Amino acid sequence: MKKVLFATTALVMTAGVAAAEVSLSGDGRMGMVYDGDDLQFTSRARVKFTLTGESDSGLSFGGEFRVDHEDEDGSSASRGGAGHVYISGAYGKLSMGDIDSASEKANGDLHGVGLTGLGDINEFVYLTSDFESNDNPGALYEYTTGAFTAYASMMDAGDDYGFDGDNDTVWSIGGKYAASNYAFGLGYEAVDVDGFDLNQWTISGEGTFGQATVKAIYSDMDNDGVFDDVKQYGLSVMYDAGATDVSAFYKKDEYSFAGVDTGDADTWGIGAAYDLGGGATLKGGIVDSDYNADTIADFGVAFTF
Amino acid sequence: MKKVLFATTALVMTAGVAAAEVSLSGDGRMGMVYDGDDLQFTSRARVKFTLTGESDSGLSFGGEFRVDHEDEDGSSASRGGAGHVYISGAYGKLSMGDIDSASEKANGDLHGVGLTGLGDINEFVYLTSDFESNDNPGALYEYTTGAFTAYASMMDAGDDYGFDGDNDTVWSIGGKYAASNYAFGLGYEAVDVDGFDLNQWTISGEGTFGQATVKAIYSDMDNDGVFDDVKQYGLSVMYDAGATDVSAFYKKDEYSFAGVDTGDADTWGIGAAYDLGGGATLKGGIVDSDYNADTIADFGVAFTF
Amino acid sequence: MKKVLFATTALVMTAGVAAAEVSLSGDGRMGMVYDGDDLQFTSRARVKFTLTGESDSGLSFGGEFRVDHEDEDGSSASRGGAGHVYISGAYGKLSMGDIDSASEKANGDLHGVGLTGLGDINEFVYLTSDFESNDNPGALYEYTTGAFTAYASMMDAGDDYGFDGDNDTVWSIGGKYAASNYAFGLGYEAVDVDGFDLNQWTISGEGTFGQATVKAIYSDMDNDGVFDDVKQYGLSVMYDAGATDVSAFYKKDEYSFAGVDTGDADTWGIGAAYDLGGGATLKGGIVDSDYNADTIADFGVAFTF
């Protein structure tokens, strides 16, 4: 017998009892991707579990993870990876698991385009968000006062990138000031592990001008003479014309070694989305990047459930 | 705290709002299997996610996948395999993901027997349903007018069976006419990839005579001189005696190469089911097949939730 | 759109209809573990599916499994492992899948300590609970009359421990007498497979004295001259002081071969838990064991949803 779950925007509780909850949400998409060579079908369906509760004294706690990230042998929210848990109160919010770095929380990414993200090159590379957390979860602390939020994160270096696996810690701090029509972010990340000494500054600004939102991000990763230094520059705009949104981004990555240029890579993307209502959105986009041999594009329908 | 989900046959929505839904259903079974040598326990429990939504203009959309098919490293509905998504309106229904071929949709399978399916030899082999869709999803289009439904499907050949993985497409078309007491199906499937040229015709008929439903299927797979040609013949009957159902099937597969017989295989199966109500059904079956060394049998209880 | 599931302590059914259900529950935790060398973050989030139904004649049936145990290539409730199904009526309860042995059901484990279990050394080793059930599920039968419950279990030896994989069966029987303030258990397990002849007796007693509950377990595993014989002794106490619980355990394992002592291992643990309400509990513990190089400890918050 098929079960139908009641959908509602209100949470129903027994009066006076703090209720712990497991809720379900989902997303999906179907369409076509042109990879510069072939036109391919693309589709997916996903479900996310959201866990929420509240202690007697009013502390909020919970967690979330996607069912497709549960893998008994690989990453899993059951082992601190691929999901997170949190506890939140007057003293801020502490999250553990597969968390983003403080700098990524403060600065975020450029506006993305397309049905599938087309490689997600609108996303900035953050130095300490991308460490494997299969072995040990990372921790992120957030504290908001007025329009300002401070972030601090720590993560295990693990044995990524040839590190010795001695549980050395990489860390990040960041801050974001978000007013009604503009926001600024600043973050710092550091990897000082096994003789490596890498760090990255990231700064971002965002402003809304009528129907347009413009965002700029700059980051400077200073490596230690073992890897290339990397500077990332990006600018994106999203224009909200009612049911239709149009987005575009430009990103440039500059590589150098010991002060000598070793190359750069340009990427631009443009896309549009049309809201069909009820959780369905028509989406399409085009991305041209030095990281890809060809210009790629996609088109289709995205769903949220 | 354990959560209990409300079970209901009615979908509750906020008036006038198209509600997107994630619902859960499940099945299970427990019993014994005799593999011709040993008597073994058999059991399983499964849960399926069903996603449904409706756009403002009345397009239905959704998807479904089983939790046990989610594997971060193997197949997953999150990558277009092991599940599907769809969009449906006045112009028909388009599905993408791990879909059946048009011919399989039009013709289907013989009635199965037993608790576990006993090898599912009642299922016909369809030429273009069984391609791997891990890399790229397949697409199926269905259009119904009156008693007639037309089907068309396309799927990536991938690198199955030694194909070169160049994203060549295999395809199928089919049609089904379903009246109140009888139905006919016809389908064609083609694989013209990397110098291979395989195709398969399938035809089927089904009729209900009082409490008995009889189904016959015939398919002719014409290979290209590299593999054997295969003809499949099958007949099944299900007799519905109230709470008890009795099913039986016979299937013969004939193999030939360049017009010369290379062998055949007979399979018969008989089974019964007794509905205990509330989603529980007693089931048992026996299958004797040239594909198995021994006659096999099973017995137990099947559950739906 | 995010779905919120109604939480309630009552099961709502259409009157007179036995309703089959899929329900969700979850748990999580976040904190720190000291492994004797380093202080590490620890976190996890998990979700369990619980399936329940009732036949027209009043037989209960159902199953349960955790989403993080679903692995298409490894263990999965969809193949009889990592979860179980059951049917229950006046004649007792029969479960199949990844079940505990009869002796484990009758005797159980010592009280555990800490946020993470700190290695779960409070758990006794049962001879026939720990066989791999990926290939074939085990079966457990339980029958309760008054304060007494009888247990019987069978499981496939599989090809664990160098067995030949011929589907030989290991088995266990046990009984438990549970009055209001005390309980006794007794169990026997046997592995007589491929020339191996191992068996284990386990006996346990538990009593509640005011706010304190004391439990003692003793087991004697007689191996066949191939492995060591093992005697396990354990005592634990849990003191329930309102919102705060304090637990402690001591366990000693004695190894011998052909009557000659070959070593022993002592473990003790102590822990405390403070109920924050709403499903959140502060927990901490310390374990010192000859099985670990160092004394280990943990502290944090555990959640149930």
Side-chain angles (χ1 to χ4, degrees):
Chain A
M1 192 195 310
K2 196 180 122 191
K3 299 296 90 200
V4 177
L5 307 185
F6 283 30
T8 178
T9 54
L11 175 61
V12 177
M13 306 187 205
T14 312
V17 175
E21 290 282 330
V22 178
S23 68
L24 291 173
S25 57
D27 64 71
R29 65 189 188 203
M30 60 191 295
M32 306 292 288
V33 175
Y34 178 72
D35 64 4
D37 190 27
D38 260 319
L39 199 62
Q40 304 284 348
F41 296 124
T42 181
S43 74
R44 76 175 181 195
R46 309 191 299 187
V47 163
K48 187 170 73 174
F49 299 99
T50 302
L51 315 176
T52 50
E54 189 179 305
S55 78
D56 289 350
S57 66
L59 286 170
S60 295
F61 58 87
E64 63 174 52
F65 59 94
R66 289 215 320 259
V67 62
D68 60 297
H69 277 167
E70 288 299 285
D71 186 330
E72 194 171 37
D73 298 317
S75 67
S76 168
S78 66
R79 285 188 305 280
H84 70 268
V85 291
Y86 67 85
I87 189 160
S88 177
Y91 296 103
K93 180 178 182 180
L94 178 65
S95 303
M96 284 192 192
D98 179 24
I99 49 101
D100 290 338
S101 76
S103 186
E104 180 159 10
K105 293 292 285 185
N107 294 293
D109 296 308
L110 299 176
H111 295 100
V113 300
L115 175 69
T116 63
L118 291 169
D120 295 328
I121 306 178
N122 63 299
E123 297 184 2
F124 266 56
V125 176
Y126 288 93
L127 190 59
T128 62
S129 279
D130 300 317
F131 281 82
E132 284 288 328
S133 57
N134 279 349
D135 298 297
N136 289 298
L140 169 72
Y141 175 73
E142 302 164 71
Y143 183 79
T144 300
T145 175
F148 182 72
T149 304
Y151 302 95
S153 65
M154 293 173 64
M155 210 171 294
D156 212 321
D159 52 6
D160 287 9
Y161 310 109
F163 295 142
D164 64 11
D166 254 359
N167 297 320
D168 297 300
T169 301
V170 304
W171 57 272
S172 172
I173 54 171
K176 183 175 187 173
Y177 185 87
S180 58
N181 283 324
Y182 62 94
F184 294 103
L186 180 66
Y188 178 76
E189 301 175 279
V191 174
D192 186 0
V193 174
D194 294 352
F196 293 89
D197 182 11
L198 296 73
N199 63 73
Q200 176 172 313
W201 283 98
T202 305
I203 185 165
S204 63
E206 187 172 354
T208 300
F209 309 95
Q211 292 166 290
T213 301
V214 178
K215 182 163 186 179
I217 316 177
Y218 168 72
S219 79
D220 185 344
M221 191 189 298
D222 182 24
N223 286 326
D224 60 351
V226 178
F227 307 112
D228 273 344
D229 294 339
V230 187
K231 287 184 170 61
Q232 304 173 74
Y233 309 82
L235 183 73
S236 68
V237 60
M238 186 176 76
Y239 187 84
D240 177 357
T244 305
D245 287 342
V246 179
S247 298
F249 74 89
Y250 173 77
K251 183 167 186 269
K252 185 183 190 75
D253 301 338
E254 289 181 355
Y255 297 85
S256 61
F257 192 87
V260 180
D261 281 1
T262 53
D264 55 43
D266 291 281
T267 301
W268 63 261
I270 185 162
Y274 179 78
D275 186 356
L276 297 171
T281 308
L282 275 177
K283 285 186 177 179
I286 300 171
V287 164
D288 184 89
S289 175
D290 291 341
Y291 291 114
N292 299 327
D294 297 287
T295 300
I296 59 177
D298 64 13
F299 180 76
V301 197
F303 309 125
T304 56
F305 303 95
Chain B
M1 189 195 310
K2 195 180 122 190
K3 300 295 91 202
V4 176
L5 308 186
F6 283 31
T8 178
T9 55
L11 176 61
V12 177
M13 306 189 207
T14 312
V17 175
E21 290 283 332
V22 178
S23 67
L24 291 173
S25 57
D27 64 70
R29 65 189 187 204
M30 60 190 295
M32 307 292 288
V33 175
Y34 178 72
D35 64 5
D37 190 29
D38 261 319
L39 200 60
Q40 304 283 351
F41 297 125
T42 180
S43 74
R44 76 174 181 197
R46 307 192 299 187
V47 163
K48 188 170 72 175
F49 298 100
T50 302
L51 315 176
T52 50
E54 189 178 304
S55 78
D56 288 351
S57 67
L59 286 170
S60 295
F61 58 87
E64 63 174 52
F65 60 93
R66 289 215 320 261
V67 62
D68 60 296
H69 278 168
E70 287 300 284
D71 186 332
E72 194 171 38
D73 298 317
S75 67
S76 168
S78 66
R79 284 189 304 281
H84 70 268
V85 291
Y86 67 86
I87 189 160
S88 177
Y91 296 103
K93 180 179 182 180
L94 178 65
S95 303
M96 284 191 192
D98 179 24
I99 50 101
D100 290 337
S101 75
S103 186
E104 180 159 11
K105 292 293 285 186
N107 295 292
D109 296 307
L110 299 176
H111 295 100
V113 301
L115 175 69
T116 63
L118 291 167
D120 296 326
I121 305 178
N122 63 300
E123 296 183 3
F124 266 56
V125 176
Y126 288 92
L127 190 58
T128 62
S129 278
D130 299 316
F131 281 82
E132 284 288 329
S133 56
N134 278 348
D135 298 298
N136 289 298
L140 169 71
Y141 174 73
E142 302 164 71
Y143 182 79
T144 299
T145 174
F148 182 73
T149 303
Y151 302 94
S153 66
M154 294 172 64
M155 210 171 293
D156 212 322
D159 51 7
D160 286 11
Y161 309 109
F163 295 142
D164 65 10
D166 255 358
N167 297 319
D168 297 299
T169 301
V170 303
W171 57 271
S172 172
I173 53 170
K176 183 175 188 174
Y177 184 89
S180 58
N181 283 324
Y182 61 94
F184 293 104
L186 181 65
Y188 179 77
E189 301 175 278
V191 174
D192 186 1
V193 174
D194 294 352
F196 292 89
D197 181 12
L198 297 73
N199 62 73
Q200 177 170 315
W201 283 99
T202 305
I203 186 166
S204 63
E206 187 172 355
T208 301
F209 309 96
Q211 292 166 289
T213 301
V214 178
K215 182 162 187 180
I217 316 177
Y218 168 71
S219 79
D220 186 345
M221 191 190 298
D222 182 25
N223 285 327
D224 60 351
V226 178
F227 306 111
D228 274 343
D229 295 338
V230 188
K231 287 185 170 61
Q232 303 174 74
Y233 309 82
L235 184 73
S236 68
V237 60
M238 187 177 74
Y239 186 84
D240 177 357
T244 305
D245 287 342
V246 179
S247 299
F249 75 88
Y250 173 77
K251 184 167 186 269
K252 186 182 189 75
D253 301 337
E254 288 181 356
Y255 297 86
S256 61
F257 191 88
V260 180
D261 282 0
T262 54
D264 54 44
D266 290 282
T267 302
W268 63 261
I270 185 163
Y274 179 78
D275 185 357
L276 297 169
T281 308
L282 275 177
K283 286 186 176 179
I286 300 171
V287 164
D288 185 88
S289 174
D290 291 340
Y291 292 114
N292 299 327
D294 297 287
T295 300
I296 60 177
D298 63 14
F299 179 76
V301 198
F303 310 125
T304 57
F305 302 96
Chain C
M1 191 195 310
K2 196 179 121 190
K3 299 295 91 202
V4 177
L5 308 185
F6 282 30
T8 177
T9 54
L11 174 62
V12 176
M13 306 188 207
T14 311
V17 176
E21 291 282 332
V22 178
S23 67
L24 291 173
S25 57
D27 64 71
R29 65 189 187 203
M30 60 190 295
M32 306 292 288
V33 175
Y34 177 71
D35 65 5
D37 191 27
D38 261 318
L39 200 61
Q40 304 283 349
F41 296 124
T42 180
S43 74
R44 77 175 181 196
R46 308 190 300 186
V47 163
K48 187 170 73 174
F49 298 100
T50 302
L51 315 176
T52 51
E54 190 179 305
S55 78
D56 288 350
S57 67
L59 285 169
S60 296
F61 59 87
E64 62 174 53
F65 60 94
R66 289 215 320 260
V67 63
D68 60 297
H69 278 167
E70 287 300 284
D71 186 331
E72 195 171 38
D73 298 317
S75 68
S76 167
S78 67
R79 284 188 305 280
H84 69 268
V85 291
Y86 67 86
I87 189 161
S88 176
Y91 296 102
K93 180 179 182 180
L94 178 64
S95 303
M96 283 192 192
D98 179 24
I99 50 101
D100 290 337
S101 76
S103 186
E104 180 159 12
K105 293 292 286 186
N107 295 293
D109 296 307
L110 300 175
H111 295 100
V113 300
L115 175 69
T116 63
L118 292 168
D120 295 327
I121 306 177
N122 64 299
E123 296 184 2
F124 265 57
V125 177
Y126 287 92
L127 190 57
T128 62
S129 280
D130 299 316
F131 281 82
E132 284 288 328
S133 56
N134 278 349
D135 298 297
N136 290 298
L140 169 72
Y141 174 73
E142 302 164 71
Y143 182 80
T144 300
T145 175
F148 182 73
T149 302
Y151 302 94
S153 66
M154 293 173 64
M155 210 171 292
D156 213 321
D159 52 7
D160 287 8
Y161 309 111
F163 295 142
D164 65 10
D166 254 359
N167 297 320
D168 297 300
T169 301
V170 303
W171 57 272
S172 172
I173 53 171
K176 183 175 187 173
Y177 184 88
S180 59
N181 283 323
Y182 62 93
F184 294 104
L186 180 66
Y188 179 76
E189 301 174 278
V191 174
D192 186 0
V193 173
D194 294 350
F196 292 88
D197 182 11
L198 296 73
N199 63 74
Q200 177 171 316
W201 283 98
T202 305
I203 185 166
S204 63
E206 186 173 354
T208 300
F209 309 95
Q211 292 165 289
T213 300
V214 178
K215 182 162 187 180
I217 315 178
Y218 168 70
S219 79
D220 186 344
M221 191 190 298
D222 183 24
N223 285 327
D224 60 351
V226 178
F227 306 112
D228 273 345
D229 295 338
V230 186
K231 286 184 171 63
Q232 304 173 74
Y233 308 83
L235 184 74
S236 68
V237 60
M238 186 178 74
Y239 187 84
D240 177 356
T244 305
D245 286 343
V246 179
S247 298
F249 75 89
Y250 172 77
K251 183 166 186 271
K252 184 183 190 76
D253 301 337
E254 288 180 356
Y255 297 86
S256 61
F257 191 88
V260 180
D261 281 1
T262 54
D264 55 43
D266 291 281
T267 302
W268 63 262
I270 185 162
Y274 179 78
D275 186 356
L276 297 170
T281 308
L282 275 177
K283 285 186 177 180
I286 300 171
V287 164
D288 184 89
S289 175
D290 290 342
Y291 291 113
N292 299 327
D294 297 286
T295 300
I296 60 177
D298 63 15
F299 180 75
V301 197
F303 309 124
T304 57
F305 303 95

